[in-house]
């Protein structure tokens, strides 16, 4: 999710586009109209061949992709956090292509998209699709990490299997031409959204990149040349004027945006007094369907337990990562830590969190308007701790948490709130607080040690079911769900264009599931070697000493690059060197 300024109204924006610019955009749409007929004529097997070509082209461009992305964010070749751009860029796209290829191959062979995949039950009788791990390599490299997609209540296992496949169940249907307004913060998002338009909805796509990613357009064009050449994709640059012209274009049948609620409202309702009148009269300016991913204020619920000093340090670094990855310019960045006021170890954890938050490597605050949001946070909370280039807001008894709970700062601002209770009482109260007080429903994080979870029993599962977020992470970060292509990504169902919250619809979803409610990912509470069950009382085993996405991982840049190159090219030598580097994290 990004937070650009609201777009201008369509009429105003169109008036500032010259004839050459309008013709350029119109020509791209005409190409795509022809391409939509080409796509509808392809069999699913032919689409698999095409996706394999995209994968080959993407694999050939991983280095340029990661280096240009890092440079655009002010991370030089020696910066310890440059690995973020390998994992959140080309690695994510390669993983998605592999997963889509697998799903479409099953369909092309006459099997179901969920063939070989276990369906279980989640609380409330929901169908739970065991969507991760599905490959032997993922089971090895990411041992201890799992993911389920929960479907909406009432969907049966037979219906889930029958409907999985979405647009690929009727490949001859022409979905027309859709508009994708690309995110500006994470470089995989624009092209992942294009893939979902194409594969879930049979819609070819016009991608308008955010100006922050203009430098990556040549890389996108090379990586996705197999889609561009037959007219299935066009990529254009442009600011709000171009975006507004395109959203109002009669020949585009759908809009997908990754951005802010303010931009969404400007597209749907317009701006100024006319927008207020349209809302009152329920007359949206936008005359076509729209889906959106819009972010929110994400909670990090820390369930009290008996933690060792190593546990306190590791989980404090985990929380710091949730806020500081990509300098906090993430829709899914954790923003509000909810912890127990009655936890005997709360002061130890606070101290560990301050240390971890301050010790993370310095990096530029690069996203447009972030300085203003940092100033806003400092004004909202003048007593906040200024730690390097970041703020830590510790809400006291006399402080008003409203701004923290309702403002997505989209910058390195982390807050801590205390709630009463221990055990189930605390967890239920934290879930209710997150649901009722925090803006948005995109993602929520829960940290709980194995002994405490075991003690809570079924109450823990019930609490997760009561947590109304589209992505939930237990002992990992919801970004793990984002980077895992067989998970789904989007707000909890129920939003409308009148009250859009964190958005409408889902993306990623490489199993092409219908009727999605949420995704739930889980990870180990303790890293290797403390993850050994004999030592920790029954936690999940993992071979990762510290995940490479942690901002405190010393070898993260090397490991992230190595994992991406292994994903792109294979090679046991690359993998072995990468694992050895991971052990030094």
């Amino acid at each position: 999710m990004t937070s650009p300024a609201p777009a201008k109204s369509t009429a105003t924006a169109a008036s500032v586009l010259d004839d050459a610019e309008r013709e350029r955009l119109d020509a791209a749409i005409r190409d795509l109209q022809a391409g939509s007929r080409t796509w509808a004529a392809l069999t699913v097997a032919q689409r698999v061949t095409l996706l394999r070509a995209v994968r080959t082209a993407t694999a050939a461009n991983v280095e340029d992709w990661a280096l240009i992305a890092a440079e655009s964010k002010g991370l030089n070749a020696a910066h310890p956090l440059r690995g973020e751009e390998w994992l959140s860029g080309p690695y994510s796209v390669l993983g998605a292509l592999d997963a889509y290829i697998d799903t479409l191959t099953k369909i092309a062979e006459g099997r179901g998209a969920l063939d070989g995949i276990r369906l279980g039950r989640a609380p409330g009788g929901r169908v739970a699709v065991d969507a991760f791990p599905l490959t032997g390599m993922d089971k090895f490299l990411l041992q201890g990490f799992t993911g389920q997609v929960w479907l909406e209540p009432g969907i049966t296992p037979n219906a889930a299997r029958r409907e999985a496949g979405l647009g690929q169940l009727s490949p001859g249907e022409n979905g027309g031409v859709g508009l994708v307004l690309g995110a500006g913060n994470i470089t995989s998002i624009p092209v992942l959204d294009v893939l979902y338009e194409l594969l879930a909805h049979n819609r070819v796509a016009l991608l308008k990149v955010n100006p922050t990613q203009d430098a990556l357009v040549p890389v996108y064009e090379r990586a996705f040349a197999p889609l561009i050449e037959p007219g299935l994709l066009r990529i254009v640059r442009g600011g709000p004027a171009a975006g507004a012209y395109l959203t109002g274009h009669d020949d585009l049948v759908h809009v997908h945006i990754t951005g802010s609620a303010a931009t969404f409202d400007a597209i749907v309702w317009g701006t100024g007094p006319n927008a207020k009148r349209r809302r009152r009269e329920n007359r949206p300016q936008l005359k076509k369907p729209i889906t959106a991913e819009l972010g929110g204020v994400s909670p990090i619920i820390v369930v009290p337990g008996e933690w060792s000093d190593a546990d306190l340090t590791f989980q404090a670094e985990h929380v710091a990562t949730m806020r500081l990855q990509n300098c906090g310019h993430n829709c899914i960045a954790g923003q509000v830590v909810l912890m127990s006021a009655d936890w005997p170890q709360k002061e130890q954890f606070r101290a560990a969190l301050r240390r971890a938050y301050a010790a993370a490597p310095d990096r530029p605050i690069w996203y447009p308007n972030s300085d203003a949001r940092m100033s806003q946070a400092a004004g909202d909370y003048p007593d906040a701790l200024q730690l390097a280039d970041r703020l830590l807001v510790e809400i006291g008894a006399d402080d008003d948490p409203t701004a923290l709970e309702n403002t997505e700062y989209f910058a390195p601002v982390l807050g801590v709130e205390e709630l009463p209770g221990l055990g189930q009482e605390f967890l239920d109260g934290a879930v209710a607080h997150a649901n009722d007080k925090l803006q948005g429903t995109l993602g929520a994080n829960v940290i709980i040690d194995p002994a405490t979870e075991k003690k809570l029993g079924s109450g823990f599962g019930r609490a997760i079911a009561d947590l109304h977020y589209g992505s939930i992470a237990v002992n990992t970060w919801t970004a793990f769900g984002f980077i895992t292509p067989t998970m789904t990504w989007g707000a909890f169902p129920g939003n409308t264009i009148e009250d859009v919250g964190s958005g409408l619809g889902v993306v990623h979803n490489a199993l092409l599931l219908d009727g999605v409610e949420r995704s739930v990912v889980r990870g180990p509470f303790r890293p290797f070697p403390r993850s050994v069950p004999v030592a920790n009382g029954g936690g999940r085993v993992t071979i990762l000493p510290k995940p490479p996405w942690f901002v405190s991982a010393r070898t993260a840049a090397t490991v992230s690059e190595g994992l991406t190159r292994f994903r792109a090219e294979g090679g046991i030598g690359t993998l072995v060197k990468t694992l050895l580097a991971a052990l030094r994290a």
Side-chain angles (χ1 to χ4, degrees):
M1 170 273 177
T2 63
S3 295
K8 300 178 182 178
S9 70
T10 302
T12 302
S15 68
V16 300
L17 287 178
D18 60 31
D19 290 343
E21 181 72 359
R22 283 196 294 273
E23 174 54 29
R24 179 177 70 91
L25 299 176
D26 290 344
I29 294 170
R30 288 194 297 271
D31 291 344
L32 289 165
Q33 287 177 316
S36 69
R37 295 188 289 273
T38 301
W39 181 247
L42 295 179
T43 66
V44 177
Q46 289 171 323
R47 294 174 179 190
V48 170
T49 300
L50 192 60
L51 290 177
R52 292 188 188 281
V54 175
R55 193 201 189 284
T56 299
T58 299
N61 284 279
V62 296
E63 183 169 353
D64 283 350
W65 187 326
L67 295 183
I68 291 171
E71 184 179 350
S72 72
K73 298 180 181 184
L75 305 177
N76 62 34
H79 199 284
L81 298 180
R82 67 189 184 279
E84 293 178 359
E85 299 311 311
W86 288 87
L87 287 184
S88 65
Y91 180 90
S92 295
V93 173
L94 287 167
L97 287 166
D98 286 340
Y100 281 128
I101 287 168
D102 184 67
T103 297
L104 266 66
T105 297
K106 291 178 181 178
I107 295 172
E109 293 173 350
R111 297 182 287 145
L114 295 182
D115 186 44
I117 295 175
R118 179 183 175 276
L119 303 187
R121 287 291 182 181
R126 296 169 174 85
V127 170
V129 181
D130 286 349
F132 183 87
L134 297 177
T135 70
M137 190 55 67
D138 282 340
K139 291 175 184 177
F140 170 66
L141 290 177
L142 292 165
Q143 186 178 13
F145 291 84
T146 58
Q148 290 185 324
V149 179
W150 293 10
L151 304 185
E152 293 175 340
I155 295 177
T156 66
N158 285 341
R161 290 191 183 277
R162 184 174 60 250
E163 300 300 325
L166 298 179
Q168 300 315 299
L169 299 179
S170 52
E173 292 184 2
N174 187 335
V177 183
L179 172 65
V180 173
L181 297 174
N185 59 331
I186 297 295
T187 64
S188 62
I189 293 177
V191 289
L192 290 176
D193 291 349
V194 164
L195 288 172
Y196 197 66
E197 286 288 289
L198 196 62
L199 299 172
H201 304 295
N202 283 325
R203 276 194 294 267
V204 301
L206 176 64
L207 168 62
K208 192 198 81 66
V209 297
N210 188 291
T212 62
Q213 297 195 2
D214 279 353
L216 274 167
V217 169
V219 176
Y220 291 154
E221 289 176 338
R222 293 195 299 272
F224 281 76
L227 298 183
I228 294 171
E229 290 164 3
L232 311 181
L233 171 64
R234 288 293 181 268
I235 303 173
V236 297
R237 296 177 174 90
Y245 175 71
L246 291 170
T247 57
H249 203 290
D250 291 339
D251 293 329
L252 296 174
V253 302
H254 181 272
V255 176
H256 177 78
I257 176 177
T258 298
S260 69
T263 303
F264 177 93
D265 287 342
I267 291 170
V268 173
W269 303 103
T271 56
N274 289 339
K276 295 179 181 178
R277 186 175 66 253
R278 290 189 191 97
R279 277 184 177 274
R280 287 196 307 269
E281 299 172 356
N282 194 25
R283 291 189 303 104
Q285 170 182 276
L286 187 70
K287 305 302 182 185
K288 55 179 70 75
I290 184 170
T291 51
E293 190 264 275
L294 305 175
V297 174
S298 294
I300 306 169
I301 298 172
V302 179
V303 183
E306 295 183 16
W307 294 9
S308 68
D309 289 344
D311 293 336
L312 291 164
T313 297
F314 179 79
Q315 294 300 344
E317 293 176 1
H318 195 181
V319 171
T321 296
M322 294 182 195
R323 178 72 261 184
L324 295 177
Q325 198 271 355
N326 199 31
C327 203
H329 308 318
N330 285 333
C331 61
I332 204 58
Q335 182 165 304
V336 179
V337 178
L338 299 176
M339 58 186 295
S340 168
D342 303 311
W343 186 21
Q345 293 181 292
K346 70 175 185 180
E347 293 305 329
Q348 290 175 266
F349 184 71
R350 281 182 178 272
L353 181 56
R354 293 185 197 112
R355 289 194 297 271
Y357 198 63
D362 291 340
R363 62 172 299 159
I365 296 175
W366 64 271
Y367 201 79
N369 301 320
S370 293
D371 289 343
R373 287 189 288 274
M374 290 293 290
S375 297
Q376 178 185 353
D380 292 336
Y381 298 100
D383 295 329
L385 293 175
Q386 180 84 42
L387 302 173
D389 57 354
R390 55 208 68 149
L391 291 179
L392 182 62
V393 180
E394 298 185 308
I395 298 295
D398 298 327
D399 295 323
D400 182 358
T402 302
L404 179 69
E405 295 175 341
N406 289 279
T407 306
E408 185 188 7
Y409 288 114
F410 210 70
V413 179
L414 179 68
V416 181
E417 291 189 65
E418 292 186 359
L419 301 175
L422 295 168
Q424 194 72 51
E425 178 191 4
F426 167 79
L427 180 57
D428 290 344
V431 167
H433 190 94
N435 286 342
D436 298 339
K437 299 293 186 180
L438 304 190
Q439 187 272 324
T441 61
L442 184 62
N445 309 277
V446 180
I447 298 174
I448 183 169
D449 67 89
T452 300
E453 182 179 347
K454 183 178 181 180
K455 184 177 180 181
L456 294 181
S458 62
F460 182 74
R462 176 181 52 76
I464 296 301
D466 289 341
L467 193 54
H468 289 173
Y469 285 79
S471 182
I472 298 172
V474 179
N475 291 335
T476 185
W477 177 27
T478 44
F480 182 77
F482 171 90
I483 207 172
T484 304
T486 47
M487 295 293 105
T488 59
W489 191 251
F492 194 79
N495 295 328
T496 64
I497 61 169
E498 293 81 13
D499 184 11
V500 72
S502 288
L504 305 165
V506 299
V507 290
H508 301 186
N509 188 23
L511 298 177
L512 298 177
L513 299 168
D514 195 23
V516 169
E517 183 186 63
R518 74 183 90 185
S519 284
V520 180
V521 293
R522 299 198 53 149
F525 178 75
R526 298 181 174 97
F528 180 83
R530 293 190 303 111
S531 61
V532 179
V534 172
N536 72 15
R540 292 178 166 221
V541 175
T542 180
I543 66 169
L544 288 179
K546 186 177 289 186
W549 52 87
F550 268 43
V551 293
S552 55
R554 290 179 296 175
T555 59
T558 300
V559 173
S560 299
E561 178 179 346
L563 288 173
T564 306
R565 291 190 184 280
F566 176 71
R567 171 73 78 173
E569 306 161 4
I572 191 64
T574 299
L575 181 60
V576 169
K577 286 191 291 186
T578 300
L579 292 177
L580 290 174
L583 291 173
R584 299 193 299 272

